[in-house]
Amino acid sequence: MMRTTTKRVLPLFAATAMLGMFGASGAALAEGPDTTSLEANLTELNDSGASGSAWITLDGNEVTVKLDSAGLLAGAPHAQHIHIGGKNECPDPGMEGTGFEGAIRTTDAADSYGAVAVSLTNDGDTSPDSALAVDRFPAGEGGTYERTFEVSDDVAASLAKGEGSVVLHGVDHNGNGTYDGDQMSDLDESLPSEATDPAACGALQVSQMADMPEGGAETGDGTTAGIENAGMMVAGGGLIAAAFAGAVALRKRALQK
């Protein structure tokens, strides 16, 4: 069973932040018996200017993904995946690739982030079979994607261990506003290499956040399913500060007694 959702989730409670400051483990806060929370900070590859943040909640075989992105090529579709394997990490942005003027192509980085394990499509299949389902991926310079779906036992087991990387694809190497060029993709010879070269990557880590953040990044054209207009994500620093102050006050009263 698959379903898309735009349900907003409340920020992390101040009580959780207070517990974290007094020795509660991050894994205990982020995970129940069958639940794991992960997050990734996506940084640019191939001088794309792209960036983003990803949050994943795994509950058994059910995965909820929220992905905020920005700086991608406007008006173009962008394949986005969870890669698992290799070293489960992102490649060095400065590595010499086999693409346009040394650009990193998808297979150049396979030793770092492995193969496609999940296709983050707007609808339909999310398996590696949809890795190049261009018509079902978000389009535009960025926005907020959110979807809940089922994954295989192998993928669930890897995510539960904190393995995997989130990768966004599609780079305008020559700056002309479209995917083109003489070099063809190392994944599909019918596509320009620009369409599949990685634009941003973030290695997943087990998160200390029990809930996904509310809100999202500024969007691009907002015309593709799975992309929604949203304000900038509100930081939870005020809640953490309040929890810390409350904890100090409680400790002081205990000492006075």
Side-chain angles (χ1 to χ4, degrees):
M1 180 181 71
M2 300 179 183
R3 66 179 185 272
T4 54
T5 177
T6 57
K7 181 179 180 181
R8 293 183 179 276
V9 184
L10 294 175
L12 185 64
F13 293 103
T16 301
M18 182 172 69
L19 287 171
M21 293 188 177
F22 282 85
S25 70
L29 296 178
E31 301 177 23
D34 299 308
T35 303
T36 305
S37 297
L38 306 104
E39 60 185 323
N41 178 41
L42 280 64
T43 56
E44 70 173 1
L45 294 173
N46 288 319
D47 297 320
S48 66
S51 62
S53 298
W55 300 268
I56 295 175
T57 300
L58 172 71
D59 186 359
N61 285 66
E62 184 177 81
V63 171
T64 296
V65 178
K66 181 175 180 180
L67 173 60
D68 288 344
S69 59
L72 295 162
L73 176 61
H78 294 276
Q80 51 186 27
H81 310 113
I82 299 174
H83 288 246
I84 294 176
K87 300 175 183 176
N88 286 301
E89 64 183 28
C90 295
D92 180 350
M95 73 173 287
E96 183 77 13
T98 60
F100 176 78
E101 295 184 351
I104 303 169
R105 306 172 83 189
T106 300
T107 54
D108 292 335
D111 288 344
S112 296
Y113 52 49
V116 172
V118 179
S119 300
L120 298 176
T121 54
N122 290 319
D123 53 66
D125 176 58
T126 59
S127 76
D129 292 341
S130 293
L132 295 177
V134 178
D135 59 330
R136 291 191 288 115
F137 284 113
E141 58 188 332
T144 297
Y145 167 94
E146 188 166 357
R147 188 175 180 193
T148 298
F149 50 88
E150 298 282 331
V151 296
S152 68
D153 291 344
D154 288 343
V155 171
S158 293
L159 292 176
K161 292 186 288 186
E163 298 175 348
S165 301
V166 178
V167 183
L168 306 178
H169 298 264
V171 182
D172 183 18
H173 292 303
N174 57 20
N176 68 350
T178 189
Y179 294 148
D180 61 5
D182 295 333
Q183 187 177 52
M184 304 311 288
S185 169
D186 51 348
L187 303 181
D188 184 341
E189 292 184 355
S190 69
L191 297 173
S193 189
E194 288 188 337
T196 60
D197 289 351
C201 177
L204 288 167
Q205 298 181 340
V206 174
S207 172
Q208 294 185 15
M209 297 182 67
D211 295 320
M212 291 185 182
E214 184 179 6
E218 292 294 338
T219 62
D221 53 30
T223 58
T224 300
I227 298 293
E228 59 180 19
N229 288 321
M232 294 300 291
M233 183 174 63
V234 178
L239 288 176
I240 295 173
F244 180 77
V248 171
L250 288 172
R251 183 175 177 84
K252 184 181 293 185
R253 285 199 295 269
L255 290 174
Q256 287 173 346
K257 291 180 180 180

